[in-house]
Amino acid sequence: MTGATGNVGRNVVGRLLAAGAAVRALTRDPAAARLPAGAEVAAGDLARPETVEPALKGVSALFLFPSPGTAGPVLRAARELGVRRVVMLSSSAVGYSGEGADNSVVAYHREIEHQVEDSGLEWTVVRPGAFAANTRQWAPQIRAEGVVRGPFAEAEMSLVDDRDIADVATRALLSEGHSGAKYTLTGPESLTQAEQARRIGEALGRPVRYEEVPPDVARERMIRDRVPADMVEMTLKFQAGLVGVRAQVTSTVEDVTGRPARTFDQWAADHVADFR
C-alpha cells in the first residue's frame, strides 16, 4: 500500500485487513501513521525508490498512489520482485476535455496511467471524480458563520465518497476480473456547490448557504492561503467550465461492488463533526 495514510488509502487498508489480507503499508513516517492494528507499517518514500524496494518483497499486489516522477522506478522494481497486480489511484480529470483540462495535474495522471499500462503487470486504474471530502475545506467558514464564500456557486459535481473509492480499489486488489479496467467513479447525483453547502446544513440541522464571490476575490484568497499559483488558476478554470453543466454520473461503484454509490447526504451525515 502506497498512499496508505490518505483518505482513500486508509480505508483500503482497513478493508483489506477485514478481508483477511496481509497488508504492508508504506509511509515516510511510520510513527505518525496511526494505521489500523494488523497492518505492517514500513518506512519508505516513493521519491527514493531504493527505500521502497524492501517493502515490495513478497508482495502480490500493489496499490499505487504516486506523485509526479515516482511511478516508473517503483513499477520496474515491482515487476522485478514478482508483484503480479497493480491498482492505481488516478483521476477522472484525465478524460476531461473542457476548460482547464490542460494542466500539470491532468498531465501527470495521464503519464502515470501510461506507465502502469506498459509496466508488464496486471493493472487496474481507478479514476474518481471530485471527492466529497473536499468540502471539508469549507468547515471553518461553516463553523464561524454558516456561510461558504467561494466562486461559481452553480458549478456542478457528482461528489464521490472516499469509502466507495476504497471499496472498488479493494475489489480490484483482491479479486479477478478487473485486469485492464479503467473505472470512472462518481457519486449518484450532480450537485451545484450551492446545493452541497445546503445539504451540509441539513445534516447539521441549521442553515448553511453558499455566497458566490468573483473569481478575482477567490484568487486573492487562495493565494493568501498559500495555494500554489498554478493550482489556483487550474481550479478556477476547471470550476468555470462546470457552471450549468450536469456532472457525469456513472454506475461503476454499483457495477463493481453490487451496491449503489453513497449519496452526498450520507457522507455529510457521517461527517457532521467536521463542521461543528
Side-chain angles (χ1 to χ4, degrees):
M1 284 291 307
T2 67
T5 59
N7 287 331
V8 175
R10 197 173 288 276
N11 277 298
V12 175
V13 169
R15 282 155 172 72
L16 290 171
L17 291 170
V23 179
R24 184 176 295 147
L26 190 75
T27 175
R28 288 189 293 268
D29 186 1
R34 300 188 303 277
L35 288 166
E40 177 189 342
V41 182
D45 185 344
L46 289 180
R48 298 167 56 213
E50 71 278 5
T51 68
V52 179
E53 291 178 11
L56 290 169
K57 292 179 179 178
V59 167
S60 60
L62 168 66
F63 178 78
L64 183 64
F65 181 44
S67 53
T70 63
V74 172
L75 289 166
R76 285 192 292 273
R79 184 179 63 250
E80 291 168 1
L81 291 167
V83 176
R84 183 168 66 89
R85 177 178 296 168
V86 58
V87 175
M88 176 198 168
L89 182 61
S90 184
S91 168
S92 66
V94 299
Y96 186 66
S97 59
E99 187 71 20
D102 63 342
N103 61 72
S104 59
V105 174
V106 172
Y108 94 72
H109 278 105
R110 285 176 177 159
E111 178 185 354
I112 297 170
E113 284 196 14
H114 292 322
Q115 291 175 332
V116 166
E117 292 171 27
D118 294 338
S119 67
L121 303 175
E122 178 184 317
W123 58 266
T124 306
V125 172
V126 178
R127 293 173 167 176
F131 284 33
N134 289 347
T135 60
R136 285 194 182 112
Q137 67 186 314
W138 298 341
Q141 296 184 72
I142 290 173
R143 285 194 292 264
E145 301 180 76
V147 178
V148 176
R149 294 183 175 87
F152 308 117
E154 297 306 308
E156 299 201 29
M157 306 163 195
S158 50
L159 300 178
V160 61
D161 193 308
D162 45 33
R163 296 170 294 186
D164 286 335
I165 304 168
D167 287 340
V168 170
T170 302
R171 294 289 183 106
L173 285 165
L174 293 181
S175 58
E176 303 297 328
H178 305 283
S179 180
K182 296 179 179 179
Y183 289 135
T184 299
L185 309 183
T186 74
E189 58 185 335
S190 179
L191 297 172
T192 67
Q193 296 200 98
E195 289 171 327
Q196 294 164 32
R198 180 175 59 80
R199 299 283 185 92
I200 292 171
E202 290 173 356
L204 286 167
R206 60 183 176 85
V208 173
R209 63 183 175 86
Y210 194 99
E211 182 178 297
E212 183 168 319
V213 302
D216 286 346
V217 172
R219 178 182 291 105
E220 290 175 6
R221 181 179 298 162
M222 286 189 280
I223 291 172
R224 188 169 61 246
D225 291 340
R226 299 183 179 179
V227 179
D230 59 341
M231 185 65 68
V232 171
E233 296 308 318
M234 180 198 76
T235 300
L236 292 174
K237 285 183 180 179
F238 185 74
Q239 290 189 2
L242 302 179
V243 173
V245 179
R246 301 300 288 177
Q248 179 188 26
V249 172
T250 70
S251 62
T252 310
V253 171
E254 184 169 9
D255 296 341
V256 174
T257 69
R259 55 146 191 85
R262 293 173 175 88
T263 66
F264 184 65
D265 290 340
Q266 287 176 279
W267 183 90
D270 291 339
H271 293 84
V272 289
D274 294 335
F275 299 95
R276 281 181 176 154

